[in-house]
Amino acid sequence: MATYRHYVAIEVIGDHELLEWWPDDADVDLAVVDPGEVALEQVGDYSAPYDYEAELRRHGQSLAREQWTLQYREERGPVALWTFVDLTEDEEDEVERGARDLRAEVEQQRSQIEPIVAAIRGQTERFFADELPSALTQAVEQRRQRVRARQAVADNLSWPDGWKYARPQLERAVQPQPEGNRPAAESALIHVEHRPRLAPASFADVQRTMRVWADAVERYPRAFSRLPEDRLSDLLAATLNAALPGAQREVYRRTGKSDIFISADVLAEGTGPAKVFVCESKWWGGRAKVNEALDQHLSYLDTKDTAAVLLFFHRLANPNRPRMEALEELVSRSDYRSQTRGATGWPVLTFDTGYGGTVEVCRAMVDLPGLRRTADR
């Protein structure tokens, strides 16, 4: 007999996925509206006589499993709880004549699942009101205890003097005297003027400290990308001063004001502190600004300076581009002499100072992509 299925959508207020779970914390016994399989006669045994009652039970179980489903009411719309009514044409005619109340039948079906939904709601409310706060409190307390214990372990293994790099040391560098200009008879009487320079190991310490700082800045670009050069230099100076005592900010030098310098004591007795390490930081302004930045940097140096850092901050998504362009511009200069790999991978280039000496300049780069520059000039 042909039937027609008429669907009814019931609004779900709350998390519809909870309706897929059976409430295991109900206060009352709940009747299952979609019972599982009951042992029925083996289907396909055509030798046995047809059992109309068995077929009815099997059909009833099939309907029970399909009676309630969760589906979208419309495409991209809300999820509803669906049920249905199967009617023959004669039964549809009964509805038309008013001889059958389908609304009452759907309400009767709905009344069967309302205790189940109420039990799901009650168990969920009890979970958030009682179980979850208790579980979170216990978890937080366990975590707090573990943090306290590990802090105690760290404190027990700490030494009061901490761990810092040694203060930068200076070596004596003797300016070579051309043999052709020095009379043999006066060689023992020539007074050679010594100049201090930063020891190679100390310059490596400076590079390593700056690299650790640069890696930390790159890890949090949103916190640093909008800062102007001066504020970034302040942060770098604070970091250098923590590991290498003597770092200062904005010291007047020859033709201008350098960003950062580190002083170290001359080893020769009777001489005072000398500023032997200079750092200049700039926001990346393109290839054309590289030589201008280095010229400004070199103008701050004097005869006793042999180590320096030229630091660029940039916001480009491709960090290899400014690195390549800066290096190409620096090695194309007439005062460029050689290049080595620094202690942290940053290149160290040697330039003539213009007064008989050389200076090693580490080209450092800090990547801060992702944000547009505002007022940082």
Side-chain angles (χ1 to χ4, degrees), residues 19 21 118 190 226 230 251 286 354 368:
L19 297 180
W21 299 87
I190 294 295
R226 297 188 185 279
D230 289 347
V251 176
L368 292 173

Side-chain angles (χ1 to χ4, degrees), residues 96-362:
E96 182 185 12
R97 295 193 306 267
R100 185 167 182 171
D101 187 357
L102 283 184
R103 184 185 300 274
E105 294 181 17
V106 172
E107 286 297 329
Q108 195 277 333
Q109 293 179 11
R110 176 172 173 169
S111 66
Q112 295 178 359
I113 67 167
E114 283 183 347
I116 302 174
V117 175
I120 294 174
R121 181 177 63 249
Q123 182 172 342
T124 304
E125 290 174 349
R126 288 190 294 274
F127 172 75
F128 283 103
D130 303 323
E131 297 178 24
L132 181 60
S134 176
L136 290 178
T137 300
Q138 182 179 0
V140 170
E141 183 56 38
Q142 291 175 350
R143 180 61 178 165
R144 182 184 292 114
Q145 174 59 31
R146 187 53 38 221
V147 170
R148 285 198 298 262
R150 290 179 180 172
Q151 183 60 50
V153 172
D155 294 341
N156 190 257
L157 293 175
S158 298
W159 278 263
D161 54 355
W163 185 19
K164 289 186 176 182
Y165 285 119
R167 187 178 181 86
Q169 299 296 319
L170 293 169
E171 296 178 352
R172 288 291 186 179
V174 180
Q175 287 282 24
Q177 182 75 17
E179 293 295 333
N181 297 334
R182 185 170 62 181
E186 299 180 7
S187 59
L189 304 176
I190 294 295
H191 175 70
V192 178
E193 186 67 31
H194 297 286
R195 64 178 178 85
R197 68 181 177 89
L198 193 63
S202 294
F203 190 29
D205 290 343
V206 171
Q207 295 176 60
R208 282 191 288 267
T209 303
M210 291 187 65
R211 188 55 185 264
V212 171
W213 176 85
D215 290 345
V217 169
E218 290 175 348
R219 196 172 297 119
Y220 306 102
R222 289 185 176 274
F224 299 97
S225 184
R226 297 188 185 279
L227 295 180
E229 297 166 8
D230 289 347
R231 299 294 74 79
L232 288 168
S233 294
D234 289 339
L235 294 173
L236 175 56
T239 301
L240 289 171
N241 207 25
L244 299 169
Q248 303 295 332
R249 280 280 289 120
E250 291 188 339
V251 176
Y252 286 94
R253 309 264 299 173
R254 294 184 63 203
T255 60
K257 187 170 59 174
S258 65
D259 276 354
I260 300 173
F261 82 94
I262 297 178
S263 62
D265 291 332
V266 181
L267 296 184
E269 183 178 356
T271 57
K275 307 173 187 65
V276 296
F277 170 79
V278 181
C279 174
E280 183 73 11
S281 62
K282 297 286 185 184
W283 275 107
W284 176 253
R287 180 191 294 267
K289 298 291 185 179
V290 175
N291 285 317
E292 178 183 329
L294 182 60
D295 289 337
Q296 178 184 357
H297 198 17
L298 294 178
S299 68
Y300 298 151
L301 306 178
D302 53 34
T303 57
K304 52 186 177 295
D305 299 324
T306 60
V309 171
L310 187 59
L311 176 63
F312 290 106
F313 306 101
H314 75 88
R315 293 185 175 87
L316 300 180
N318 179 12
N320 290 327
R321 177 179 149 195
R323 292 192 181 99
M324 178 187 66
E325 292 182 352
L327 200 58
E328 289 176 350
E329 289 297 316
L330 292 174
V331 300
S332 65
R333 293 172 58 99
S334 60
D335 51 358
Y336 166 77
R337 291 296 172 264
S338 63
Q339 174 185 339
T340 60
R341 182 181 176 87
T344 63
W346 283 332
V348 177
L349 299 91
T350 302
F351 296 92
D352 281 338
T353 59
Y355 35 79
T358 60
V359 60
E360 291 182 334
V361 178
C362 173

